Amino acid sequence: MQWWVVWAVLVLALLVSLAAGIWYAFRRGLAALHVVSSLGDAIGSKFAAADGVDESLPKPASFTVPLQQSIDQYSSAHAQVIRREEHKRKRHEAVWRRWGVFNE
């Protein structure tokens, strides 16, 4: 076999692997771009929802309102905390169930 044939095969292998690497990087870059754009959309929607909050009239201090109103506000806030914790617990249970059957 001639020496230049070996070099031609090596150069061809180099070019093929270089093209495959560029193709792979391009595909992974597009996938990352889609993830980043969906993340940007999610963040933008959260900021848009936060902008809709009207803070022009602040709530009065709890010691200036009747006691029953403060109790009602506290109980509704505590109920919301309990709902949020329950929702988080259910999400965690779902993830553990999914992981439990992952390797089966």
Side-chain angles (χ1 to χ4, degrees):
M1 184 181 285
Q2 298 288 332
W3 65 270
W4 57 270
V5 175
V6 174
W7 280 106
V9 170
L10 287 175
V11 168
L12 185 63
L14 171 75
L15 292 176
V16 167
S17 66
L18 185 64
I22 290 172
W23 175 78
Y24 179 78
F26 179 73
R27 293 220 8 164
R28 296 292 11 148
L30 283 180
L33 187 63
H34 289 294
V35 169
V36 168
S37 84
S38 66
L39 179 64
D41 290 341
I43 290 173
S45 67
K46 298 291 183 186
F47 278 133
D51 286 342
V53 175
D54 184 24
E55 297 180 0
S56 60
L57 298 174
K59 292 182 180 179
S62 63
F63 59 85
T64 62
V65 296
L67 186 59
Q68 187 59 41
Q69 186 177 354
S70 294
I71 291 171
D72 292 340
Q73 287 177 353
Y74 175 79
S75 64
S76 66
H78 189 64
Q80 185 178 5
V81 167
I82 291 172
R83 281 193 301 271
R84 203 169 39 236
E85 288 175 353
E86 181 69 21
H87 181 66
K88 181 172 66 172
R89 186 183 65 78
K90 286 181 181 178
R91 280 194 328 254
H92 288 169
E93 284 179 2
V95 167
W96 278 103
R97 268 188 263 114
R98 202 169 48 233
W99 286 354
V101 297
F102 180 73
N103 289 326
E104 293 178 358

